[in-house]
Amino acid sequence: MKMKTCFTCCLLFLVCASLHANWQCSITNYARHSYKAASQNWMIMQGENGWMYFANNKGLLEFDGTNWPVYPIHNAKMRAVKAGRDGRIYVGGLQQFGYFVPNALGCLDYVCLSDTIDKRSVGNIWNIHIAEDRVYFQSDNVMFYLENERLHRAVCNNMVSSALVNKHLYVAGSGLSVLNGNEFIQIPNTTSVIDNISRRIVGMFSYQDKLLLVSNQNGLFLYENGTIQPFHSAADDFLKKNRLFCSAMKGSTLALGTVQNGVLLLSMDTGETEHISTHNGLQNKTILSLFFDREDNLWLGLDNGIDCIHLHSPIIQNSVPVGSGYASCLYRNKLYLGTNQGVFVTDYPLLLSKEQEIKPLDGVVGQIYSLTVYDDKLFCVGSNFLGVLDGDDYYSMPHIRGVWWVKPLWQKDKLLAATYTGYYLLKKTGTRWGIDKRVAGPEFSSKSLYLEPLTNALWTANKEGGLYRVLLSENCDSIIKAKCYNSEELPKGDNVYIASVNDEVIIASREGLFRYNQQGDYLERADSLERELDGRTAYTYIMEDSLRNIWYAADGALKLLHYDATQKKYYRSENEVYLNDCLIEDFEHVNILSKDMAILGMEEGFSMLNFMQKRTKQYPLNLQIRYIYLRGVKDSLVYGRSYLPNEQPLKIPYKHNSIRIEYSANNYDKSLALFYSCRLDGPVSEPWSQLGESTMKEYTMLPEGKYTFYVRTSINQEETITSSFSF
């Protein structure tokens, strides 16, 4: 299943008034129709292999980065899940608890532990804890525990919440209790305090060698040596106004999930806070569960859906969609954003995780194609207008429409405006620019336009019109020569993008990359550049920035090849693939704002990218061959692998010699896309396939014999992950 992974944001009705937006870490939304289970997700955990598990109303929901299988527990709603060290996944729900283990086909089978207990005494299982030799199941009034494969119970009335902290099992309800052996001991002087501070404790954690208590209504408290004291922070006002339902903590970061206002992140050490809700990326405001995974992503189980906040992603998203992002420009310490709805302006530098005003530019409404600064003025062009912003003064040229670009010519007192129906010269009169004359000659529509720096030539391209090199007269008022460079290798009918890379004119096309051979006046394959990039594949965009880094779009994603000025060579710091399926195809936009920050156009607005930020994964990706199916009228599963390896040899009868192989890797930050390559070794052998997004491979009519299937993906040039399976 391929899922669109653009970062979703709240919808706004845009009016000519200022808006407030946050620039913040990216969020991936998983709607219920994506994972195909119930809406509510009550508890979250991560397995040793990196897969995610959710206690969903329909059962145990599993996510390996691609697949979302769901496993029910006797039609009971699930409330709790925790992975044991014994290879089991322990679960609990309404009036029952037990565990899952993988079967021979890679699916999970359920074993009920509570089937001999009266359901009424089981009640609801709200939490599970894994100790060294025990597995605890927290019910409403009983703590069941599994020890040496035998069930025991410890009674504690009014058990609201529990936590295993520093090997001690604490229970909060009528006061605070701790388990001693198989009996709960009330901690003195806590009953009245707990009753006074909260109707419910929603989290207990270790902080500075003390027990941190998270109250659902009255804030944070620290317990030490029989005393409970308030812990004051910058989150106090938020906690007074909002009712908490859940919490999670990793390091010094405390995540607080509310009933009606999203999640608040609090740094216990610095006091910094960040509020994330539907106004800046979440699907809904009610948070039922929180979990920090081993890559420090924060997973949210919602009342309807699942969200994943990528706390250390280099992508920073804008939470207010102002339209599709086509252009951007820095002008007089302001950031201007051109969209299909007009031009919007905000202060620069951007304030991360803080509200920042963003407002429309008066008089500029409709499709924007490009923004250009020249003569200390901002030229805004689009489908309906050509406008100029001079400080606070905006004026337009009313007799010109459908403008792709405004670009400076080699003659300093002139500008070239490229429109749907040809070129115009602009000249300056006094302090204002205006239309001088139309450029005589053929009427080229220059969707892509590049001006050669040392000649009177320009390159123009349009899907219907084709690719041309046009020579202008000395005073630039007429076209004196135009040559078409389309051929059998590069036919008309597709958009191309024209740019300068390594001081050469480069054409990015769906047929690959081409370079202009100036001596021979013809196009030829840019073989060496293709080898540096993605080989001979479809390219829709290419750009060399001022640092000589190469940005390009292929396979629907934006990619980056760094340039090391000291070593004078290109390198990839990691698998730098961004915004997969989020770009506007054939209108990709990259604007370098500083030595490490770029702004990127997307279908749903803009994102900032720290392209020098290195992401060192704490754990390797887990690439697995998940399933093998026999293809037929009804495909039949014959092999599967779960979180435990399946080493059973697979023999397939020759009459079933058409198969489908599915594989996956647990990459959850969709701003960093993964691409796979595979090959088959045996009586029918093949080389490594081109990199692609597909997570399955099909073979038909395989001859008899022994085969090994290989699949690989890479995080960076040094680290390639390969998985294989023989049959």
Side-chain angles (χ1 to χ4, degrees):
M1 176 187 68
K2 182 178 178 182
M3 189 186 68
K4 189 170 179 92
T5 57
C6 279
F7 313 117
T8 58
C9 307
C10 57
L11 297 175
L12 294 176
F13 179 70
L14 296 175
V15 294
C16 293
S18 62
L19 308 168
H20 287 86
N22 281 331
W23 292 88
Q24 63 182 48
C25 50
S26 63
I27 301 172
T28 301
N29 304 132
Y30 300 98
R32 184 179 64 82
H33 63 77
S34 298
Y35 58 76
K36 293 181 174 60
S39 57
Q40 294 179 322
N41 297 277
W42 295 92
M43 196 171 182
I44 309 170
M45 58 133 310
Q46 187 173 33
E48 286 295 320
N49 65 345
W51 293 357
M52 301 303 303
Y53 292 89
F54 307 84
N56 182 272
N57 271 357
K58 278 196 175 179
L60 178 63
L61 183 60
E62 179 183 73
F63 184 42
D64 62 7
T66 302
N67 304 286
W68 289 96
V70 60
Y71 304 100
I73 53 169
H74 298 174
N75 298 317
K77 295 181 179 180
M78 190 177 291
R79 291 291 184 264
V81 57
K82 195 66 66 73
R85 300 180 184 88
D86 51 6
R88 299 172 177 176
I89 296 178
Y90 290 94
V91 297
L94 303 186
Q95 299 184 334
Q96 67 170 291
F97 57 89
Y99 61 86
F100 282 95
V101 288
N103 61 28
L105 293 179
C107 300
L108 300 182
D109 292 333
Y110 177 61
V111 178
C112 184
L113 292 171
S114 59
D115 50 4
T116 60
I117 304 173
D118 188 333
K119 289 184 176 182
R120 290 171 296 181
S121 64
V122 173
N124 298 324
I125 302 297
W126 294 105
N127 211 339
I128 300 173
H129 308 287
I130 309 293
E132 291 183 358
D133 54 357
R134 290 180 177 181
V135 180
Y136 296 98
F137 301 87
Q138 180 218 317
S139 181
D140 298 308
N141 296 303
V142 178
M143 184 71 73
F144 298 97
Y145 62 92
L146 184 68
E147 185 177 24
N148 296 325
E149 297 300 314
R150 296 188 63 184
L151 275 177
H152 308 269
R153 66 180 69 192
V155 177
C156 183
N157 292 327
N158 191 24
M159 190 158 31
V160 177
S161 61
S162 60
L164 191 64
V165 181
N166 296 328
K167 298 183 179 181
H168 297 290
L169 183 61
Y170 293 93
V171 166
S174 297
L176 198 62
S177 301
V178 63
L179 185 64
N180 183 14
N182 60 356
E183 183 180 0
F184 280 101
I185 306 299
Q186 184 95 24
I187 298 177
N189 305 319
T190 61
T191 302
S192 60
V193 178
I194 294 292
D195 290 344
N196 288 334
I197 66 174
S198 177
R199 293 178 60 195
R200 183 168 177 254
I201 297 296
V202 298
M204 292 179 277
F205 309 97
S206 176
Y207 179 67
Q208 295 182 345
D209 297 324
K210 302 174 184 178
L211 185 65
L212 175 68
L213 304 174
V214 181
S215 161
N216 71 330
Q217 290 181 315
N218 290 304
L220 309 178
F221 298 84
L222 287 176
Y223 168 77
E224 185 183 32
N225 298 327
T227 303
I228 297 177
Q229 297 292 337
F231 178 87
H232 295 292
S233 71
D236 285 355
D237 287 342
F238 180 89
L239 296 176
K240 289 178 182 177
K241 298 175 183 177
N242 295 280
R243 183 180 175 187
L244 300 185
F245 190 86
C246 56
S247 60
M249 190 170 183
K250 188 171 185 180
S252 62
T253 301
L254 179 64
L256 304 168
T258 72
V259 175
Q260 292 181 318
N261 202 9
V263 63
L264 184 77
L265 298 177
L266 168 66
S267 171
M268 298 289 290
D269 292 344
T270 67
E272 293 178 304
T273 62
E274 181 176 1
H275 178 217
I276 304 174
S277 188
T278 51
H279 71 281
N280 56 354
L282 300 189
Q283 295 179 83
N284 65 74
K285 297 180 179 181
T286 302
I287 316 299
L288 301 181
S289 55
L290 292 162
F291 180 81
F292 288 98
D293 71 13
R294 61 192 191 186
E295 300 298 331
D296 293 337
N297 298 308
L298 177 60
W299 293 83
L300 284 65
L302 307 176
D303 189 57
N304 188 1
I306 297 168
D307 285 345
C308 183
I309 304 174
H310 310 292
L311 297 176
H312 301 298
S313 172
I315 291 283
I316 301 164
Q317 72 186 71
N318 181 2
S319 63
V320 175
V322 290
S324 299
Y326 282 82
S328 66
C329 195
L330 284 177
Y331 174 61
R332 295 193 180 185
N333 299 319
K334 300 280 188 179
L335 178 62
Y336 289 80
L337 305 172
T339 78
N340 62 331
Q341 301 180 19
V343 175
F344 297 81
V345 58
T346 187
D347 289 334
Y348 189 83
L350 300 173
L351 303 177
L352 303 185
S353 303
K354 303 293 182 183
E355 280 197 350
Q356 190 165 13
E357 186 180 53
I358 181 170
K359 57 185 179 181
L361 181 63
D362 290 343
V364 185
V365 179
Q367 176 68 61
I368 297 292
Y369 289 129
S370 63
L371 300 172
T372 305
V373 173
Y374 183 76
D375 186 34
D376 195 32
K377 297 171 179 59
L378 178 64
F379 291 81
C380 311
V381 303
S383 59
N384 299 318
F385 52 84
L386 192 164
V388 183
L389 182 66
D390 186 359
D392 295 327
D393 179 29
Y394 176 80
Y395 59 92
S396 63
M397 302 177 196
H399 302 298
I400 187 169
R401 295 284 187 273
V403 186
W404 294 111
W405 308 94
V406 166
K407 294 202 175 188
L409 288 162
W410 38 91
Q411 293 191 3
K412 300 299 182 183
D413 60 340
K414 295 181 179 179
L415 292 172
L416 183 72
T419 76
Y420 294 169
T421 56
Y423 305 121
Y424 289 82
L425 291 181
L426 308 182
K427 72 174 183 179
K428 187 177 179 182
T429 303
T431 61
R432 289 199 167 198
W433 286 84
I435 301 172
D436 181 19
K437 63 181 68 174
R438 186 184 184 92
V439 176
E443 296 182 349
F444 291 103
S445 178
S446 299
K447 181 178 179 296
S448 184
L449 181 66
Y450 172 72
L451 278 64
E452 292 184 1
L454 301 177
T455 70
N456 279 27
L458 58 88
W459 288 83
T460 175
N462 187 283
K463 182 175 182 178
E464 291 78 17
L467 172 67
Y468 284 81
R469 184 174 185 262
V470 175
L471 189 64
L472 298 180
S473 61
E474 186 174 347
N475 60 3
C476 302
D477 62 355
S478 64
I479 295 173
I480 59 177
K481 184 180 179 182
K483 180 181 176 180
C484 180
Y485 286 81
N486 290 109
S487 63
E488 288 186 6
E489 280 193 300
L490 185 61
K492 292 182 182 180
D494 279 322
N495 286 307
V496 302
Y497 192 88
I498 313 163
S500 175
V501 178
N502 294 328
D503 298 322
E504 291 186 321
V505 176
I506 296 296
I507 312 299
S509 79
R510 285 165 174 77
E511 311 302 324
L513 299 177
F514 295 82
R515 62 179 291 273
Y516 177 53
N517 186 317
Q518 191 165 11
Q519 287 185 329
D521 188 27
Y522 59 84
L523 291 183
E524 61 186 9
R525 289 284 183 180
D527 293 325
S528 60
L529 183 58
E530 284 186 342
R531 286 192 292 269
E532 291 279 6
L533 304 184
D534 283 14
R536 187 155 300 173
T537 189
Y539 298 87
T540 56
Y541 175 83
I542 192 166
M543 186 269 286
E544 182 182 63
D545 66 24
S546 59
L547 304 173
R548 294 193 64 184
N549 303 313
I550 299 176
W551 302 77
Y552 62 101
D555 302 310
L558 182 68
K559 305 184 181 185
L560 172 60
L561 186 69
H562 286 275
Y563 182 76
D564 187 329
T566 304
Q567 300 291 329
K568 295 184 177 180
K569 66 178 183 179
Y570 292 104
Y571 70 95
R572 295 185 192 271
S573 64
E574 54 187 333
N575 186 29
E576 296 196 72
V577 182
Y578 304 103
L579 302 180
N580 192 33
D581 279 349
C582 297
L583 303 175
I584 308 173
E585 188 174 80
D586 294 318
F587 288 95
E588 294 87 350
H589 171 72
V590 178
N591 180 17
I592 308 302
L593 301 178
S594 66
K595 64 181 181 180
D596 56 3
M597 294 296 293
I599 188 166
L600 316 175
M602 305 189 308
E603 288 181 344
E604 297 185 15
F606 295 88
S607 282
M608 297 284 292
L609 171 65
N610 184 343
F611 58 89
M612 295 303 293
Q613 176 179 325
K614 294 184 178 180
R615 290 190 288 183
T616 303
K617 291 186 70 65
Q618 301 175 21
Y619 297 87
L621 283 174
N622 176 34
L623 174 62
Q624 284 193 188
I625 296 169
R626 288 290 328 257
Y627 306 113
I628 296 180
Y629 291 90
L630 306 183
R631 295 185 59 202
V633 176
K634 185 177 181 181
D635 292 351
S636 176
L637 179 65
V638 292
Y639 170 85
R641 174 169 174 162
S642 186
Y643 56 86
L644 295 178
N646 179 0
E647 304 298 345
Q648 292 293 324
L650 177 62
K651 292 184 178 182
I652 300 173
Y654 178 69
K655 64 180 180 179
H656 298 300
N657 61 352
S658 294
I659 63 174
R660 182 177 78 252
I661 303 175
E662 298 182 0
Y663 42 87
S664 65
N666 57 312
N667 170 46
Y668 304 123
D669 186 351
K670 300 303 180 181
S671 68
L672 183 67
L674 286 184
F675 292 85
Y676 303 90
S677 176
C678 54
R679 73 178 180 91
L680 188 64
D681 187 22
V684 172
S685 295
E686 60 180 10
W688 286 103
S689 64
Q690 280 194 337
L691 289 170
E693 292 181 83
S694 177
T695 55
M696 71 175 186
K697 179 69 174 178
E698 294 185 341
Y699 295 98
T700 59
M701 305 300 291
L702 289 175
E704 183 181 15
K706 295 181 179 180
Y707 292 88
T708 300
F709 174 79
Y710 299 90
V711 60
R712 67 185 181 188
T713 188
S714 61
I715 302 173
N716 50 47
Q717 285 185 318
E718 290 75 33
E719 185 178 357
T720 298
I721 305 166
T722 302
S723 184
S724 65
F725 181 75
S726 298
F727 58 91

